[in-house]
Amino acid sequence: MAKIEECEPADSLVPPHLLRRYLLDPFCASYIGLLARLNRINPMRNAILVSALLLATPLAGDQLRIATSNDWRQWQLPGDAVEVARGTLKPAFVRRNINAVANAFDFASGGIRKVGSNPGDALNFIDGDPATYWAPDPNARVEDWWIEVDLGRVVSARKIEIHFAADSTPLEFFKILTSDGEPFFSNANSILPGTLRYNKRWRYSFNESHVIEIDYELKPLKNIRIEADLPTENIRLSEVVVESIGDNLSLGIWGRGGSVEIISEATSKLGRTLIESKGISNTLVDGDITTYWGTVHRGGSGTQPEQQIGQFEIDLGALYWVDRVRMLGDDSGVAPGKGSGRHRSGVFNYLWYQFFVSDGSRAPDGSLSWELLGELPSDRRNLTKIRHFQELFPLRKVRHVRLIFPMSEGFEAFNGRIGTTAEWQVFGEGYPAEVRARSPIYDLGSIQHIAEIGWNLDAPPGSRVEIRSRTGNLLDNQYVFYDKNGKQVTERKYDKLIPSFRGAIDTIRTAGADWSNWSRAYATSGQVFLSPGPRRYVQLDIRFLSEDPFTAATLDDIVLEFDNPLAQETRAEVFPVEVAPGEMSQFTYYLRSEFVSSSRGFDQIQLTSTAGATFRALRLAGEPAAPTVEETKQGFKVVLAEPVRRSTLIEIDFESTLYLNQTRFEAFLFNSALSTTARQQVDSGDAETAIASDRTFVSLPTDGRLFAALSLSNRVLTPNGDGISDRLQIDLDLFKVLAPRPVILGVYTLTGHRVALISDAAITAGRQTYHWDGRDSQGRTVAPGIYILRVSAEGDALTRSENRLISVAY
C-alpha cells in the first residue's frame, strides 16, 4: 500500500486532508497527476470527475470518515435545502418576513445595478450596516445624484424603507422609482436588451424624515431607484430595506432535484396533450416576471370539439412546511402590440382554477395523493381584472403543488393568450420536514469488509436522521460530450462535429448491475454494517426528518470501519426451493467460500430466517463435522473446531416450517478471534453445481390458499362450567401474508345471523390459535343448537373463507 505523499504532487486541487489518504495501485500518483493535468487543461469541466475519483479513496487503512465541509460538498446535495457549515450538514431554515436586499447577491443580477456618481461607496447602501453609507459626489451635477438597486429576482414586497444616516441631512426634494423588471420594447415588439422601465414613482418635497416608508401591498418588485431633484448638503444614504413575505421556495427548485411541468390540454381525448419543455416550464420559477407562460389556443377561436384544461405541477425538491402560494399573472413581459395606446390585449389568466397540494405520499395505483386546498369560482372578471392570485392555508407539509385551470370556456376558446403566468411563489417557515442527500461512490481501493458504521449527530426531540447504504463491485460509465467551447452536446451531435470542433469527453461513474438495494435505515451509531460485503464500492444515503418546523438534526460526521474480508468471495444456495406450507420441511444450505492471502478466515456460521431454523447436520468438504451449536432467536449458530481458511464447500442440514412465500435464509460468517462486528454476510449464488437453486429463498406453491390445517379441539361445546369442553380451541396455519391483514372468525346461526365475533385482528403468516367460550357479543351464553364457524382471511389480491359446523349443548 502506497501513500499519496510518495507519489507525484497533484497540485492545489487536492485538499490537504486528502493527501493523507491511503491509495492502492489503481489510484497511484501517476493517475492523480494525470487528473491534475486534465484539471489544468479544463478545470471547470473536469472538477467533478477529479473530485469523484479522489473522494473514492479511504481516509485511512481501515476507516473512511466524512467529517469536513469539503467532504460534505462532494455529496449530491439538494441545493439550498441543506447547509454545510463548520464540517456539519443540516437542513436549511426557511425564513418568513425577510429583507430581500440582504441576500440580493445570491442571485445573478442582484446588487447595485447602476449609480450616477461615487460608485466606490455604492455597496454601502445595501450592506446591512447602518454605520456605512453612500453619498453622491457633491461636485457632481444633480442629474448624477441617483442610485439603482437590483434585488436579483422579483419579490412580493410588503414595504420599502429608505434610510438616511442619523447624523446626516435627508434629501429634501427627490423621487423613488420602482420596477418589477419590465424592459422597453421596440416598435417591432422586440425587447430592448439592458433597458428597464420604472412603472411606479413617489415624489417627495420638503422632506425632513430620516426614514422613508412605502407600503408596497405585496406587489411585484425587483428594482428601486432614488433620484435627487435638488441638491442637499450633507446627505448620506445608509440603507435600503425591502420587507418581503419570506424565502421563495420556487427559486432553486432545479438545484434541489425538483421539477416544473406544464401540460397544455391535459385532459384531451383527441391526442392534443402537450408537455412543455424544461426551458418553457422554467419561466414559472425563474424569478423574472418578464418571462411567462401563456399559450395562444392551437384550435383558434370559436367552438372547440372538447373542453380543454391546462395543468401546472411543481415539485419543490424537498418536503417543506408551506402556508402560502402566489401565482403572479403580470403581463410585463408581453409585447404591448401596435396601434393607438400600444396596450396589451388578449392576455387572460384563469377563468377558474382548482389548487392542490401533496406531501409526496402515494395512492394505491402509485400516483401522488392530492388534497384540494383552494378553488377560484368561475367568473369572467378573473381573466383580466385579477393579476395576482393567492392561496393561504395553515402551515402544512408540502412537496408538490398543482393548479388545474380551463383553456376554454366550456367548448368556446378564448381569443388570446390563455393562462398567462409570470411567476409562482411558494412560502412557508421552518426547517424542511424531509430532505435527502446522497454521497459519491466511495472506492475502498480493493474488496473490503465494512464492519460497522458510526456517526455524530445532534437530533433535538421531533427530529431524526435516517442513514442507508448500498454496496457493489461493478461500475458503469456514462459519458458527457462537449464541443470546443465547452458546451454540452449529445453523443450524436458530437459524432457529427468535425474533429477541430470537438471538445472533451467526461466519464461519470455510476452503480453497476451487481449493486445491492438500499439497506434499511441504521438504528444506532456503531451498528453492524447492513449492506452485503465484502465489496469494493460503497454509497450512503441520508434523509433528514422533522415533525416540528423549528427543529432539525445536525450531522457532524460519518465513519465507516473496514478491514480485509473473512473470505474473499462467498456463494450460497438452499435446496429444495419449494415446499408445502405449514409443514416441517428438510433443507440443505450449501456454502462455498473462496480465499486469498489477506483473507482472515472464519470459524462460525449463523443461519437466520423469519421462519426460524433447527440445526440437523454439517459437512465440511463432504466430510461430516460435529460443530458446537448455539440456538438464536431466528435460527442457530454453528461453531467449528478449526477456522476455515481454504476454499471449500460447507453443507448445513436444517429443518423449518414455512408460512410465507419466498422465505429467505441468510447466513453470516464470524471469526471468534475478532470483534463481533467482523460479521460478513454470505452472498447467494451457485455454490454447488449439482444443485439447481442459486438462491437462498424458498417458495410456496402458487395456489390460492391463504390458510390451511383448520382444526377444532372438539365439535360439541358444553359451556356449563364443569371443566369439560367448556371452551373451543381453533387452530389454523395462515400463509403468504407478510403485512398484517384481518383474519375474521365469527359464529353464525344457520340462517346467517352472526351471534359472536371471536376475532377480527390483523395478523401475519404463521400458526394461529383462537378460543371461544360459547358466549355471544353481549357476553351471554348462546342457546343450545347447531352453529356455523366461519373463518375469512384477506390476502393481497383475494379473500378466502372456510366454514365448520359446531354444536352447543348443555
Side-chain angles (χ1 to χ4, degrees):
M1 184 176 293
K3 296 183 182 179
I4 194 170
E5 291 95 321
E6 300 169 356
C7 306
E8 176 185 346
D11 73 24
S12 60
L13 177 68
V14 185
H17 69 280
L18 285 175
L19 295 176
R20 297 190 295 271
R21 299 185 177 185
Y22 287 85
L23 301 172
L24 294 180
D25 289 342
F27 291 90
C28 66
S30 60
Y31 196 36
I32 298 299
L34 171 62
L35 293 175
R37 288 192 291 275
L38 283 174
N39 188 64
R40 286 193 288 271
I41 295 170
N42 200 331
M44 293 301 293
R45 188 162 66 247
N46 289 289
I48 296 175
L49 175 62
V50 173
S51 298
L53 290 172
L54 289 176
L55 278 175
T57 59
L59 286 170
D62 58 357
Q63 189 180 88
L64 189 152
R65 180 183 294 271
I66 302 102
T68 70
S69 293
N70 186 63
D71 291 339
W72 289 120
R73 291 190 183 106
Q74 309 309 318
W75 284 48
Q76 300 170 34
L77 300 179
D80 59 3
V82 295
E83 59 183 20
V84 176
R86 297 179 296 278
T88 64
L89 184 65
K90 181 181 181 178
F93 190 82
V94 176
R95 302 167 301 167
R96 199 191 297 277
N97 301 324
I98 67 170
N99 174 14
V101 177
N103 66 336
F105 288 109
D106 292 345
F107 304 92
S109 64
I112 298 296
R113 182 175 184 269
K114 292 181 180 179
V115 61
S117 66
N118 197 13
D121 291 338
L123 289 177
N124 293 334
F125 189 39
I126 59 173
D127 64 357
D129 184 355
T132 62
Y133 60 87
W134 169 82
D137 184 346
N139 297 318
R141 300 176 309 158
V142 69
E143 288 84 3
D144 294 328
W145 284 33
W146 56 269
I147 189 169
E148 291 184 354
V149 175
D150 188 339
L151 300 179
R153 78 288 193 197
V154 68
V155 304
S156 294
R158 286 197 173 96
K159 183 171 64 173
I160 301 173
E161 294 179 3
I162 307 297
H163 293 253
F164 296 92
D167 58 349
S168 72
T169 302
L171 274 171
E172 190 175 4
F173 297 92
F174 67 100
K175 295 187 291 289
I176 298 176
L177 301 92
T178 64
S179 173
D180 58 10
E182 180 181 3
F184 283 96
F185 291 84
S186 70
N187 290 331
N189 285 325
S190 298
I191 290 176
L192 295 174
T195 60
L196 183 65
R197 181 185 178 194
Y198 282 98
N199 41 28
K200 295 182 185 297
R201 65 181 58 209
W202 292 260
R203 187 182 294 274
Y204 297 85
S205 301
F206 304 102
N207 172 59
E208 296 181 351
S209 176
H210 282 75
V211 179
I212 305 297
E213 294 188 5
I214 298 174
D215 184 358
Y216 214 70
E217 301 176 328
L218 293 186
K219 291 183 174 63
L221 174 65
K222 185 174 185 287
N223 301 91
I224 304 168
R225 178 182 172 110
I226 297 97
E227 287 184 4
D229 290 327
L230 292 175
T232 303
E233 293 185 1
N234 192 34
I235 73 153
R236 296 195 296 275
L237 286 160
S238 62
E239 286 301 315
V240 57
V241 175
V242 174
E243 182 183 314
S244 65
I245 295 175
D247 291 319
N248 177 11
L249 295 172
S250 71
L251 302 177
I253 279 177
W254 305 107
R256 294 182 219 120
S259 62
V260 181
E261 185 176 76
I262 301 175
I263 305 178
S264 300
E265 303 178 33
T267 59
S268 174
K269 297 179 181 179
L270 303 178
R272 301 168 59 89
T273 299
L274 173 65
I275 300 177
E276 303 285 7
S277 68
K278 180 177 178 179
I280 294 176
S281 298
N282 188 52
T283 60
L284 300 186
V285 294
D286 61 359
D288 184 353
I289 207 167
T290 68
T291 62
Y292 63 92
W293 179 86
T295 183
V296 176
H297 202 288
R298 290 177 293 157
S301 59
T303 304
Q304 302 297 309
E306 59 181 350
Q307 183 181 25
Q308 288 125 15
I309 301 296
Q311 176 179 299
F312 299 149
E313 186 173 321
I314 297 178
D315 176 0
L316 298 175
L319 184 63
Y320 283 104
W321 297 92
V322 174
D323 59 2
R324 184 195 300 252
V325 173
R326 289 173 60 80
M327 294 149 282
L328 310 184
D330 297 78
D331 54 9
S332 297
V334 180
K338 301 180 180 180
S340 174
R342 292 185 42 81
H343 61 282
R344 297 177 173 94
S345 61
V347 176
F348 303 115
N349 297 118
Y350 316 120
L351 175 65
W352 57 263
Y353 68 63
Q354 291 181 316
F355 172 76
F356 300 83
V357 301
S358 172
D359 61 4
S361 57
R362 298 282 173 176
D365 64 359
S367 63
L368 286 171
S369 295
W370 293 97
E371 180 182 4
L372 178 65
L373 280 191
E375 291 188 87
L376 178 71
S378 180
D379 189 330
R380 287 193 64 87
R381 290 176 297 179
N382 298 336
L383 294 169
T384 55
K385 301 300 182 183
I386 300 176
R387 287 301 185 205
H388 304 148
F389 300 83
Q390 177 171 269
E391 291 295 330
L392 296 170
F393 42 89
L395 201 66
R396 65 196 303 118
K397 297 177 184 178
V398 174
R399 171 78 188 247
H400 304 265
V401 290
R402 173 191 276 179
L403 193 77
I404 295 176
F405 58 94
M407 298 177 66
S408 61
E409 186 175 10
F411 291 91
E412 288 293 319
F414 301 118
N415 185 18
R417 197 175 302 276
I418 309 159
T420 304
T421 309
E423 282 298 299
W424 269 61
Q425 297 180 329
V426 181
F427 302 99
E429 187 176 21
Y431 296 104
E434 180 180 340
V435 65
R436 308 188 81 138
R438 184 165 294 178
S439 79
I441 293 174
Y442 291 109
D443 185 355
L444 304 181
S446 64
I447 292 177
Q448 295 286 326
H449 168 67
I450 303 176
E452 65 178 58
I453 182 171
W455 59 84
N456 287 311
L457 175 70
D458 178 17
S463 66
R464 71 183 194 276
V465 170
E466 291 182 353
I467 301 176
R468 291 175 171 83
S469 62
R470 64 174 180 169
T471 54
N473 283 325
L474 300 177
L475 294 179
D476 290 336
N477 291 330
Q478 293 183 355
Y479 301 100
V480 183
F481 300 86
Y482 302 89
D483 63 19
K484 70 171 187 176
N485 298 317
K487 180 182 177 181
Q488 185 175 334
V489 297
T490 63
E491 181 179 3
R492 183 177 180 181
K493 185 173 182 179
Y494 184 89
D495 291 338
K496 290 183 177 180
L497 294 174
I498 62 175
S500 59
F501 281 77
R502 293 176 181 173
I505 303 175
D506 282 350
T507 303
I508 300 174
R509 306 185 312 169
T510 58
D514 72 332
W515 277 65
S516 65
N517 293 325
W518 289 102
S519 70
R520 65 179 183 274
Y522 289 92
T524 58
S525 177
Q527 183 175 343
V528 171
F529 196 67
L530 297 176
S531 293
R535 297 290 191 272
R536 175 166 178 165
Y537 303 105
V538 61
Q539 192 173 28
L540 302 175
D541 184 85
I542 296 175
R543 187 162 66 135
F544 290 89
L545 299 163
S546 179
E547 293 299 325
D548 182 344
F550 302 102
T551 298
T554 302
L555 189 58
D556 194 350
D557 61 17
I558 299 178
V559 180
L560 298 181
E561 304 285 350
F562 63 91
D563 211 326
N564 292 324
L566 303 183
Q568 184 73 2
E569 181 183 354
T570 59
R571 299 186 301 276
E573 54 189 329
V574 66
F575 191 84
V577 295
E578 182 176 299
V579 296
E583 299 178 6
M584 181 68 74
S585 301
Q586 308 290 325
F587 300 94
T588 300
Y589 190 90
Y590 298 88
L591 166 62
R592 187 175 295 277
S593 52
E594 306 290 345
F595 295 85
V596 296
S597 59
S598 60
S599 303
R600 295 180 291 172
F602 62 90
D603 60 359
Q604 299 177 6
I605 307 169
Q606 180 173 320
L607 190 67
T608 182
S609 171
T610 55
T614 303
F615 175 80
R616 284 292 172 257
L618 182 145
R619 291 174 297 282
L620 184 61
E623 297 295 327
T628 302
V629 180
E630 302 174 6
E631 291 186 3
T632 63
K633 183 177 181 180
Q634 292 186 318
F636 57 85
K637 177 187 286 187
V638 295
V639 181
L640 306 175
E642 297 290 338
V644 177
R645 292 193 175 92
R646 292 186 301 175
S647 300
T648 189
L649 175 67
I650 300 175
E651 302 167 71
I652 304 174
D653 298 333
F654 66 95
E655 294 178 340
S656 184
T657 302
L658 275 53
Y659 298 93
L660 282 175
N661 193 31
Q662 296 191 347
T663 299
R664 186 171 299 277
F665 294 92
E666 295 184 318
F668 300 89
L669 309 180
F670 297 86
N671 187 319
S672 57
L674 304 173
S675 166
T676 55
T677 60
R679 182 191 79 157
Q680 181 173 328
Q681 185 173 353
V682 176
D683 291 326
S684 60
D686 187 7
E688 173 55 73
T689 56
I691 301 300
S693 171
D694 295 355
R695 68 190 201 191
T696 55
F697 62 87
V698 178
S699 302
L700 301 181
T702 55
D703 55 30
R705 290 190 300 167
L706 291 177
F707 61 88
L710 175 61
S711 63
L712 309 179
S713 58
N714 43 283
R715 289 301 181 96
V716 179
L717 180 65
T718 58
N720 54 17
D722 64 358
I724 302 174
S725 299
D726 285 337
R727 288 165 58 87
L728 177 68
Q729 178 172 312
I730 306 141
D731 296 295
L732 60 89
D733 292 334
L734 183 64
F735 307 141
K736 306 174 185 177
V737 181
L738 183 59
R741 293 295 181 90
V743 175
I744 302 173
L745 283 80
V747 179
Y748 298 81
T749 65
L750 295 180
T751 60
H753 174 68
R754 191 175 75 186
V755 296
L757 177 65
I758 299 174
S759 177
D760 62 356
I763 58 175
T764 57
R767 185 68 175 171
Q768 310 294 334
T769 298
Y770 303 89
H771 295 90
W772 183 48
D773 60 2
R775 299 182 182 275
D776 63 16
S777 299
Q778 284 72 44
R780 301 168 298 193
T781 303
V782 300
I786 298 176
Y787 294 87
I788 300 172
L789 171 68
R790 178 174 300 158
V791 180
S792 298
E794 179 182 330
D796 293 330
L798 48 83
T799 298
R800 288 288 185 264
S801 299
E802 196 168 328
N803 298 331
R804 293 285 191 275
L805 291 178
I806 54 176
S807 298
V808 177
Y810 297 98

